[in-house]
Amino acid sequence: MTTIRSKDRQGYRMKFGVLGPSTNTIVQPDFDDLRPRGVTNHYARIHVDNAQAVSNETFMAGAWKISEMTHDAVRRVLTCEPNYLVMGMSAVTFFNGAEGGRKWREQVEEVSGLGVSTGAEATVKALEAYGGIKKVAFLSPYFPTANAEVKNFLSDYGYETVRDVALERPSWIAIAETTEASLRETFKYLDGDDVDALIQVGTNLDCMRFAAAAETWLGKPVIAINTATYWHALRANGIDDQIDGFGRLMAEF
């Protein structure tokens, strides 16, 4: 006799395993706010100390440390039997260009046996969804060396970075303490007639709603990485719910 397995009572459409640094306090509530009915998020924290990222070197070392601890967190979240994995950390997914990002994702897929959405590849898919974008500007909470990796990644997909800002936040925790005033001034600096779209990277930066609002007064795509990553995970799994309040990406594409 064949046993028919029941669906999860709340995650009856999709159970996402979400991987994020243990110091990250923004991505979990952001992803929950984007969650359609019948989809659930199951967060696994990647253990990392609150590194004092006070230089290019210490930031990069801290980012690679998060990467090294990712597979352990993947194995933990697999115990709830998710259907798909969503990366709630972005820096290392940009490192070493398009090939580096692809290889990093494939390693996680090999460990988990599941599909994976990463911030870097989701950002490119979001740019493609809007269409007609060639020149971009972006901000991050990173240090300049990490920004160079983002520029290199985008270049591999044919996007020219006109301007970028590394906010150089002094620690992982401090990223989540970035003020709206700082975001506003940075977006004003980045925007211009020579830019087709603005991008925010760094999942612990509270920018999702600000980006959605900025899109209305700038009159061009403004892509927040948490929105792009969760959007990509939904669409990759055939979930096409359009959700208002988080920018055109979630509402139209």
Side-chain angles (χ1 to χ4, degrees):
M1 181 177 178
T2 302
T3 300
I4 300 175
R5 184 174 175 178
S6 299
K7 291 185 177 182
D8 189 279
R9 289 291 301 277
Q10 293 199 35
Y12 52 85
R13 297 172 74 189
M14 180 64 51
K15 292 193 296 185
F16 284 143
V18 178
L19 290 303
S22 55
T23 52
N24 189 311
T25 56
I26 299 299
V27 72
Q28 183 174 1
D30 272 5
F31 281 4
D32 280 345
D33 286 346
L34 295 171
R35 181 178 66 88
R37 184 172 182 172
V39 177
T40 51
N41 303 321
H42 307 282
Y43 199 88
R45 292 188 173 273
I46 303 165
H47 182 265
V48 59
D49 294 327
N50 183 30
Q52 302 299 309
V54 294
S55 69
N56 283 310
E57 293 75 17
T58 55
F59 182 93
M60 295 297 285
W64 280 118
K65 182 64 174 178
I66 293 170
S67 179
E68 291 169 8
M69 301 296 288
T70 296
H71 291 180
D72 288 340
V74 169
R75 295 184 183 96
R76 283 195 296 275
V77 81
L78 287 178
T79 60
C80 76
E81 300 187 4
N83 307 110
Y84 191 84
L85 299 183
V86 190
M87 299 312 303
M89 38 85 86
S90 63
V92 296
T93 69
F94 287 99
F95 290 178
N96 299 320
E99 183 178 3
R102 176 183 57 79
K103 288 182 177 179
W104 194 91
R105 170 179 50 78
E106 288 176 347
Q107 289 174 355
V108 177
E109 289 175 338
E110 183 176 352
V111 170
S112 66
L114 300 174
V116 178
S117 286
T118 69
E121 293 180 339
T123 298
V124 169
K125 290 297 184 183
L127 291 169
E128 292 173 355
Y130 279 98
I133 296 171
K134 295 181 179 180
K135 296 183 178 183
V136 301
F138 72 87
L139 70 92
S140 82
Y142 308 154
F143 278 69
T145 299
N147 267 30
E149 295 285 351
V150 178
K151 283 188 280 188
N152 181 51
F153 184 92
L154 293 172
S155 177
D156 281 353
Y157 285 94
Y159 297 103
E160 176 188 348
T161 298
V162 177
R163 283 179 291 281
D164 69 286
V165 172
L167 293 175
E168 299 188 22
R169 301 300 293 150
S171 72
W172 301 140
I173 295 293
I175 294 172
E177 298 168 352
T178 306
T179 65
E180 186 174 282
S182 177
L183 294 177
R184 185 182 305 110
E185 291 306 309
T186 304
F187 272 114
K188 287 180 179 178
Y189 166 76
L190 291 172
D191 188 35
D193 293 339
D194 54 348
V195 172
D196 301 319
L198 301 175
I199 301 167
Q200 170 264 319
V201 301
T203 61
N204 203 27
L205 197 60
D206 183 18
C207 193
M208 185 170 72
R209 288 176 176 79
F210 186 91
E215 197 169 59
T216 65
W217 48 263
L218 292 177
K220 63 183 62 175
V222 181
I223 298 171
I225 198 161
N226 287 352
T227 307
T229 307
Y230 203 82
W231 165 85
H232 182 268
L234 291 172
R235 302 304 185 253
N237 288 280
I239 300 173
D240 297 323
D241 298 47
Q242 295 177 314
I243 303 173
D244 293 327
F246 300 101
R248 289 182 58 205
L249 190 65
M250 286 295 298
E252 299 180 19
F253 303 111

